[in-house]
Amino acid sequence: MQIQHEVSLKAHNTFGIDVKAQKFIEVTQLTELQELLIHTTEPILILGGGSNVLFTQDYEGLVIKIKLKGIDILKEEGDSVWLKVAAGEVWHELVLHCVENGYGGIENLSLIPGTVGAAPMQNIGAYGVEIREVLESVEAVQRSTGEIQVFNNESCNFGYRESVFKNIHKDAYVITAVTLKLSKNPSFNTSYGAIQDTLKANEVDTLSLKAISDAVCQIRNSKLPNPAEIGNAGSFFKNPVIPQAQFEALKERFPNIVGYPLPEAQVKVPAGWLIEQSGWKGKRFGNIGVHARQALVLVNYGGGNGAEIRKLSQDIQASVLEKFGIEIKPEINIV
Ligand SMILES: Cc1cc2nc3c(=O)[nH]c(=O)nc-3n(C[C@H](O)[C@H](O)[C@H](O)COP(=O)(O)OP(=O)(O)OC[C@H]3O[C@@H](n4cnc5c(N)ncnc54)[C@H](O)[C@@H]3O)c2cc1C
């Protein structure tokens, strides 16, 4: 494909922000990607499905949209199967492929928008499962040299919505493929009450990958706004983790505060609750706002711009800090 000029990115980000890329190209071949990385002198932005980015201005450089495709079985041993998946595959289509073929491990991550290549970036997670639990390795091209490197699970240094690709190696690598170790004899994760309730409502007697995937899709469709209808990028903020002592002190002042205990005397507090308690839920400001059912989701009703959404996010951060003394940080990549 040829490099295109002055391309609107509106259809390439789920917020539906109408900014322009000075240059834009979709890559389907690894060699083409390596050539571009080595020879391009201007800034480069890598894009998958655009479901975790907020564009605040036109992009003065080259946007490379990753369209590398392919799902291959590398190896099968006992109950395990190793799948190597190219970065441009759509994540949910991969989940459906695995469910159909009886490969367990990512069914709880059904319906997360975006591409396979972006999934390790922030260690995608939902309903008690994170990709790190099944990720064997990540193949990535080093931007400065065009060379391919393999990161094993440990060297990705995964954390809650974190990996080396989002922090110490930010903008240094382009992920080209991911290898997952899945199970043909999976143990199902139904630890979330919502999954149990939905399985019960669906009168599921025998657990299966499909029953869980269907339940997760049902829950997500009922809770989260569909970006095809209202522009959004899912959770805008990460859930903050605070020391147990700070949580106890807050509980004195706010008896209803919610918290999930973590190791090392830490507590995870739902950012959505903090935002809601600070009075933002359902607030609309012109074309943008805070979703009425989910305070963690900022939305573009149509025609909103990214700078306005960033400003709203900063106002929300300031008011949560003032009320609770807790700093909430964006999960979204702001460009
Ligand atoms: C409605 C909705 C619900 C969501 N729910 C969840 C959820 O439950 N859990 C969760 O974890 N996330 C969730 N998300 C966030 C999002 O779906 C994930 O972060 C997803 O992995 C982003 O994929 P993408 O291809 O769209 O990435 P993009 O938005 O295109 O990119 C995200 C970042 O990764 C970089 N990047 C993309 N591809 C590559 C690559 N191949 N190599 C190197 N860098 C790359 C980009 O430069 C950017 O910085 C949700 C989003 C929406 C819109």
Side-chain angles (χ1 to χ4, degrees):
M1 200 202 187
Q2 293 292 326
I3 289 183
Q4 298 170 269
H5 295 261
E6 301 300 324
V7 173
S8 167
L9 295 176
K10 189 172 178 195
H12 300 288
N13 71 99
T14 59
F15 257 122
I17 304 293
D18 195 4
V19 292
K20 273 200 223 108
Q22 191 185 21
K23 295 183 181 177
F24 179 88
I25 190 165
E26 295 185 346
V27 292
T28 54
Q29 302 295 327
L30 181 57
T31 47
E32 187 188 7
L33 174 65
Q34 288 169 304
E35 287 292 310
L36 281 167
L37 293 174
I38 298 165
H39 294 120
T40 305
T41 49
E42 60 241 284
I44 291 179
L45 175 75
I46 303 297
L47 201 58
S51 63
N52 203 24
V53 286
L54 175 67
F55 289 112
T56 57
Q57 56 191 330
D58 290 342
Y59 190 72
E60 303 298 334
L62 173 66
V63 172
I64 301 179
K65 182 153 172 158
I66 304 296
K67 291 280 216 176
L68 307 169
K69 296 286 181 181
I71 304 179
D72 297 304
I73 296 180
L74 282 190
K75 169 165 98 160
E76 290 184 74
E77 216 174 83
D79 287 336
S80 300
V81 54
W82 283 258
L83 279 194
K84 181 172 175 182
V85 189
E89 290 287 344
V90 172
W91 176 262
H92 182 58
E93 287 174 11
L94 171 67
V95 175
L96 295 181
H97 172 89
C98 292
V99 167
E100 262 166 41
N101 286 282
Y103 307 149
I106 54 173
E107 57 283 355
N108 290 47
L109 305 180
S110 294
L111 221 56
I112 295 183
T115 55
V116 168
M121 289 290 298
Q122 68 154 6
N123 179 27
I124 57 166
Y127 299 100
V129 173
E130 291 179 329
I131 192 178
R132 71 165 149 193
E133 291 159 48
V134 293
L135 187 137
E136 188 79 358
S137 62
V138 169
E139 207 172 275
V141 178
Q142 189 170 26
R143 283 207 201 186
S144 55
T145 61
E147 279 168 18
I148 293 178
Q149 288 187 21
V150 177
F151 293 77
N152 64 19
N153 184 307
E154 202 187 332
S155 53
C156 293
N157 202 8
F158 289 121
Y160 164 61
R161 299 296 177 274
E162 281 297 340
S163 75
V164 284
F165 305 106
K166 214 177 161 182
N167 44 63
I168 61 165
H169 292 325
K170 189 171 162 55
D171 295 335
Y173 290 90
V174 179
I175 296 171
T176 52
V178 167
T179 297
L180 304 178
K181 182 183 173 191
L182 302 166
S183 173
K184 289 187 265 183
N185 183 18
S187 49
F188 303 108
N189 184 330
T190 57
S191 55
Y192 265 61
I195 295 190
Q196 289 168 22
D197 295 346
T198 309
L199 289 170
K200 205 167 164 197
N202 292 349
E203 296 179 5
V204 171
D205 302 320
T206 316
L207 279 181
S208 66
L209 297 177
K210 183 159 182 344
I212 294 186
S213 173
D214 286 349
V216 169
C217 290
Q218 237 174 297
I219 301 165
R220 294 183 70 98
N221 282 328
S222 70
K223 275 178 55 177
L224 289 167
N226 180 352
E229 288 157 18
I230 306 177
N232 76 90
S235 306
F236 197 96
F237 299 100
K238 294 200 270 193
N239 293 318
V241 174
I242 60 172
Q244 173 85 33
Q246 186 184 0
F247 182 76
E248 297 303 336
L250 281 167
K251 210 164 171 53
E252 300 274 302
R253 287 171 52 214
F254 307 99
N256 295 331
I257 191 168
V258 187
Y260 303 100
L262 296 176
E264 293 170 17
Q266 302 280 301
V267 178
K268 187 185 278 185
V269 183
W273 187 86
L274 298 170
I275 297 167
E276 187 176 344
Q277 297 301 309
S278 304
W280 293 97
K281 193 174 180 182
K283 283 267 167 71
R284 181 170 177 160
F285 306 89
N287 293 327
I288 64 161
V290 181
H291 194 253
R293 271 179 291 141
Q294 176 51 269
L296 205 46
V297 178
L298 305 189
V299 294
N300 174 16
Y301 291 102
N305 74 53
E308 289 171 333
I309 295 175
R310 179 178 52 193
K311 170 76 172 58
L312 172 60
S313 76
Q314 290 165 343
D315 291 346
I316 292 172
Q317 282 175 302
S319 79
V320 168
L321 184 63
E322 193 187 328
K323 184 167 174 125
F324 296 100
I326 296 178
E327 193 186 350
I328 53 170
K329 295 195 180 133
E331 172 188 314
I332 308 273
N333 302 278
I334 298 176
V335 181

